[in-house]
Every structure is written in C-alpha cells, then in structure tokens.
Amino acid sequence: FFQKTLTAVKNWFTLFGWSKGQNPISVPYSLRRDVCKVQVTSSQEKVFKQNLGKDTKTVYDMLFHLSGQLLPGITSSQSLPLDPVERMLQLHWQHSTLLAFLKSQGACLSHVMPEFLLEPDDYKKWIKVQSELKVRDVKNSDMFSSKHLFILEDSIFETMSKRAWTDVLLQVYKVFVLPRVSSCNITDLFSLESVQNMPRIKSEPLSSNIYSPYERTILTWLNKHYEKNRKTVWKDCQKGEVPPMRWIVNFDRDLLDGLVLAAQLAAYCPYLVATHFVRMYTNPRTPEQFLHNCLILVNAMHAVSLAIDIKV
C-alpha cells in the first residue's frame, strides 16, 4: 500500500508540481539532492561557486509554484557553506523552516523531523554534532537542554527518509492543491430527488479528524454522481444487475471495484457507457472480477486521453 501511495505521489508531482512542464523526481533522492541551485564547492584549495543551471528545480521552486510563496529566509538561488558541518546545519535549518511553513498552512507533520529530510551523510554529521552537544550538556549538568536523538541504521534511515518526504509531499498536496476544490455549490449536490434520502457528509472543519473539508467535498461529489448514474450506466449491463445504493465514505475501500469512478467518468463522458462500462461486473466478488473492472476503467481513461500515467 505504501509503495502504491509513493508511486502515485511521485507521478502527480512529476506531472503537475512544477512550472513550465514536467520535472521527473525520485523520492527521496532528487528532493534531498536538489536543495540549492548554487552550491559552494572546493577544488585545489580554491573556493568557487558551481552553478547547477537554470533548469535545476528545487523543492522551493515547487512550493512557490503551488503556493505562490517563498519560505521565510530562503531565496530562489540559495547557496550552501563550504564547511561540511556548517552546510549540514544550514540544510537542517532550511528543512526546519520548510516544516514550520507547512504546519502554519495546516499540514500534519508533527511526526517528521528535519534530520529525516537530510542526505544520509548529513544525517550522520547531525547525529555526531548532537551527540557531542549532549555530552557537553551532561558535563555541565544541564540535563534539560538535550533533545532525544533517534540514531538510525543506514537502511532504517533510508526507509524513514522516504516516508518523511512522501508525507511532506502528501501534506503539500493537501494544503495547496485540495483547497482549490470549490465548495460553493456543495448544497446543490444533493438537490436531486434520487439522492435526497442518502446520509449527508458534513463539510464543517471539525466534523472529521481524518478528512479535510475539501476531501469531504470530493466524497460528496462521488456520492452524488454514483447515485445519479448507477441506474443509467448499468441498466443494460452484461454481467449483473444494477449495482445497489452505497454510501461512499473513504477513498480506498469504496473505490476498489471501479464502479464509483466509472460513474463519475460516465457523468462527463456518457459515450463511454456503451463501449466500456456495460461490460463491468456490477457485484464483483473475486480478485479477477475486481481486476476486470479496473482494466475497463483504465482503458476508458486512456480512450479520452486522461494521460495521468495510470497503471494497473
């Protein structure tokens, strides 16, 4: 499940997370590596600036594209110190600033520590520096200034870093992309007689500790189109009867059989019903039947050129 989530996140941000077209990313490797457009390097004891080029895109460029804001104290052409320890400390500060900025926008990232966003070598430097500070604090009897250190092995750190960067991207999507979903007409979604008796999904901010108001707006939209179209789309279905009414309350289990998403697509592309959707199982029970439905849905998306790199 986590790997599928990671793939979906990587594909979306590759396609839509940047200005001027696509920018392939790898999580966490390219995000950790491309943190600055200008790096300070050393060659034969001489100090010079190595320009990584205008085409190099950093996570800060992505945030500016999606939010229209630059992080406080971080410029678009950030440079790093020559000294490895100072460089690591600045990167740690930049990641701390990034997390603080996202949290101020409503992101849930209390479990992500700035050091998890560092390169593995920088993470080791961070642990070494913090361990030395801890020893010094103990010698000075300052037992309350030392923070608990998570000292991770290399393989565990890579797993943690991948998870941390994935969660950062998911929260970026939540706070900067999902709010673009309009909720001004949410009261009209249940105006049809066929859906008036369905349970309502409340849009108030505090009515759910799982989904944001924008995610609940999408759930409302899914319920509306499924209930409106299920009898029309599958009235002549070849593999069962008209699917029953259902209450769609999540984005995983309720979408597994492909029927809900097919109903949404049929609402905007009704010509796909006769060519694709009538061949779906309306009450799938086996993994093969679920796969059959999803293959038809993917083929329908490709038929209308929804180039989102969807794979089964």
Side-chain angles (χ1 to χ4, degrees):
F1 172 80
F2 174 70
Q3 186 58 46
K4 290 181 179 179
T5 301
L6 174 61
T7 300
V9 168
K10 183 175 66 175
N11 288 343
W12 192 92
F13 279 91
T14 290
L15 293 170
F16 310 113
W18 314 85
S19 61
K20 300 180 181 179
Q22 302 179 16
N23 180 48
I25 66 170
S26 58
V27 182
Y29 310 109
S30 67
L31 298 175
R32 294 188 312 203
R33 181 186 65 241
D34 300 333
V35 290
C36 291
K37 291 186 177 180
V38 178
Q39 288 185 339
V40 177
T41 60
S42 175
S43 176
Q44 297 179 352
E45 298 181 355
K46 294 182 179 179
V47 178
F48 64 97
K49 287 186 177 181
Q50 178 188 16
N51 194 332
L52 298 182
K54 296 181 179 179
D55 294 334
T56 301
K57 297 180 180 180
T58 70
V59 65
Y60 311 118
D61 295 316
M62 178 192 70
L63 286 174
F64 182 74
H65 171 64
L66 295 177
S67 70
Q69 303 179 62
L70 289 174
L71 270 63
I74 299 178
T75 64
S76 58
S77 297
Q78 193 77 16
S79 61
L80 295 173
L82 175 63
D83 181 78
V85 175
E86 292 182 2
R87 174 184 181 279
M88 175 273 297
L89 291 174
Q90 177 168 323
L91 285 174
H92 189 275
W93 172 81
Q94 289 180 196
H95 294 327
S96 299
T97 303
L98 168 66
L99 294 175
F101 171 73
L102 294 176
K103 290 176 185 177
S104 70
Q105 304 297 315
C108 299
L109 291 169
S110 58
H111 62 292
V112 177
M113 297 184 176
E115 51 267 31
F116 295 158
L117 305 179
L118 294 170
E119 290 273 14
D121 289 342
D122 288 330
Y123 171 73
K124 293 176 182 177
K125 295 185 182 73
W126 166 258
I127 292 298
K128 181 179 179 181
V129 169
Q130 295 305 307
S131 298
E132 292 173 351
L133 290 175
K134 189 172 184 178
V135 170
R136 186 193 65 184
D137 291 340
V138 170
K139 289 182 179 180
N140 294 334
S141 299
D142 188 1
M143 301 298 295
F144 299 99
S145 62
S146 300
K147 296 182 179 179
H148 181 70
L149 292 179
F150 289 92
I151 303 177
L152 307 176
E153 297 179 357
D154 292 350
S155 60
I156 298 178
F157 172 77
E158 283 294 346
T159 300
M160 185 70 74
S161 183
K162 182 181 294 186
R163 180 62 183 266
W165 276 108
T166 302
D167 288 346
V168 166
L169 293 180
L170 285 170
Q171 293 300 310
V172 167
Y173 184 88
K174 187 186 80 170
V175 299
F176 295 130
V177 180
L178 275 184
R180 300 174 189 172
V181 177
S182 174
S183 59
C184 58
N185 295 322
I186 190 171
T187 55
D188 298 332
L189 293 178
F190 283 95
S191 60
L192 296 173
E193 182 179 355
S194 60
V195 296
Q196 285 181 350
N197 295 327
M198 291 183 60
R200 303 298 176 90
I201 295 178
K202 297 181 180 180
S203 60
E204 290 79 7
L206 299 181
S207 62
S208 173
N209 62 349
I210 299 176
Y211 294 129
S212 68
Y214 314 105
E215 290 170 309
R216 295 198 295 278
T217 299
I218 294 176
L219 288 174
T220 300
W221 171 72
L222 291 173
N223 277 284
K224 179 251 186 178
H225 279 305
Y226 175 76
E227 182 56 30
K228 176 184 176 183
N229 295 320
R230 64 184 177 88
K231 296 180 180 179
T232 303
V233 174
W234 291 287
K235 64 178 180 179
D236 299 320
C237 60
Q238 303 172 2
K239 298 183 182 295
E241 301 176 349
V242 172
M245 176 186 289
R246 67 170 71 173
W247 191 27
I248 304 154
V249 295
N250 59 67
F251 292 103
D252 46 15
R253 185 176 60 255
D254 291 338
L255 305 184
L256 281 177
D257 59 11
L259 296 174
V260 174
L261 294 178
Q264 315 310 309
L265 196 53
Y268 301 95
C269 306
Y271 50 85
L272 292 173
V273 174
T275 59
H276 292 77
F277 300 144
V278 292
R279 296 184 283 112
M280 299 178 74
Y281 288 97
T282 55
N283 188 26
R285 297 182 180 276
T286 66
E288 292 78 12
Q289 291 176 346
F290 276 77
L291 177 60
H292 172 89
N293 283 1
C294 291
L295 286 172
I296 290 177
L297 180 62
V298 170
N299 289 335
M301 289 183 172
H302 286 307
V304 293
S305 299
L306 282 178
I308 319 177
D309 192 28
I310 299 176
K311 299 177 182 178
V312 176

